[in-house]
Each structure stands twice: as C-alpha cells, then as structure tokens.
Amino acid sequence: KKTQLNFKLVLLGDAAVGKSSCVERFVKNEFFEFQQPTIGAAFLTQTIPLEDYIVKFEIWDTAGQERYRSLAPMYYRGAAAALVVYDITDPDSFDGAKTWIQELQRQGAADIVIGLAGNKLDLSSQRKIDSKEAKSFADENGCIFYETSAKTGANVQEIFVAIAQKLPKN
Ligand code: GDP
Ligand code: MG
C-alpha cells in the first residue's frame, strides 16, 4: 500500500478568475457557467496517486473579493503549496497574481511550492496577457506555470500534478 502524504494547498487570486472553477474541475470534473461566488473560503480535498506515494491535497479555496483580503494569511499560513490564478483576458488579474506571489514569498512558508495558472485559456481570442511574459515571470519567481481552462479542463489536472511532484516527500 502506498504512503499518503497530506499537504495544505491554498487558492489565491482576484475575484472571478476561476479559482473555484479550477478546484471543481480538479476535484469533481465539473464546470458551471454560473459558479457561485465563494463566501469566505471553501474546503475540499483531492488525492493524486504518484508513482511511489499518494498526495492528498487539503484545499482552501479563498474568496477573491477585497473585503476578504485580510483573511488570506489565515489560509496561506502553514500552506505547503499555493495555486495563484489569473484570467488571461484580464490584465488587472495578472497584476493581482503578481502581488499574491510577492506576498506568499514574503509571508508564506519558506519552502512553499507556488503554481501560477493563467485561466480561461478557452477565451484565447480575447487574450490580453502574453503567455511568454507570464512564463518568464513564473520562471523568475520559481513558480510552476500552466495556462488552464476550467471550462474545457485543459491543464487543470496537469498543474496540480506538477505541484504534487514538486512537494517535499518528508
Ligand atoms: P473565482 O471567483 O476565482 O472562484 O471564480 P469562479 O470559479 O467563481 O468563476 C467566475 C466565472 O468565470 C464563472 O462564471 C465561471 O463559469 C467562469 N469561468 C471560470 N473558469 C473559466 C474558464 O476556464 N473559462 C471560461 N470561459 N469561464 C470560466
Ligand atoms: Mg470562488
């Protein structure tokens, strides 16, 4: 029987970028055009079987609204991993993601594994954020980077697996 390792993962990013939708896709393989805005935060779990062990993510999906901003440290404190999401059609949300990554690097755990997801890849005809620009920002900051679509499912599993593989095994 494979060992199971538990890790706390926090979702951060501006409101309406698709944080909850990415989690719904990852955990339930579902998508809703009218996803309810998250109040405070939601808790979900999902396991990923890797070759030698099983990663169980304990996921805190936070609300992106400004009025909940001060609550964020409660959720990222002690988190082994963070998935920071922006919307590739919304430049403000990319600025927001950069701010979250800086905050995590200053205030989060020293060895936190950070994934950056450029979500709504299915809307690439309305793209405002160049993928190369986002990739180089991620590289400079040691973050895993994928463009994702919670709607089609593109790269959602992949970014969680990449985070799982980068987490320490002890
Ligand atoms: P959150 O506030 O970051 O949790 O965002 P939600 O998950 O609530 O999503 C906000 C809106 O964006 C909802 O209407 C979703 O259906 C929509 N949405 C989320 N992900 C995608 C995506 O990948 N593509 C498209 N086209 N819409 C998405
Ligand atoms: Mg939400």
Side-chain angles (χ1 to χ4, degrees), residues 76-133:
Y76 66 68
R77 193 170 298 137
L83 181 57
V84 178
V85 184
Y86 67 95
D87 171 347
I88 66 162
T89 74
D90 177 2
D92 286 345
S93 77
F94 186 55
D95 291 340
K98 289 177 169 174
T99 304
W100 280 117
I101 288 170
Q102 282 160 1
E103 181 167 337
L104 286 168
Q105 287 173 336
R106 289 197 197 109
Q107 318 280 350
D111 57 352
I112 190 166
V113 173
I114 304 174
L116 175 64
N119 191 44
K120 309 199 185 182
L121 182 57
D122 57 289
L123 302 180
S124 59
S125 63
Q126 299 160 53
R127 171 193 290 282
K128 300 273 167 39
I129 302 301
D130 182 60
S131 57
K132 287 203 195 79
E133 181 193 343

Side-chain angles (χ1 to χ4, degrees), residues 139-161:
D139 287 348
E140 283 160 22
N141 287 277
C143 303
I144 290 160
F145 174 68
Y146 280 89
E147 289 187 334
T148 59
S149 171
K151 184 168 181 171
T152 67
N155 288 336
V156 174
Q157 182 78 15
E158 283 80 353
I159 195 165
F160 281 98
V161 169

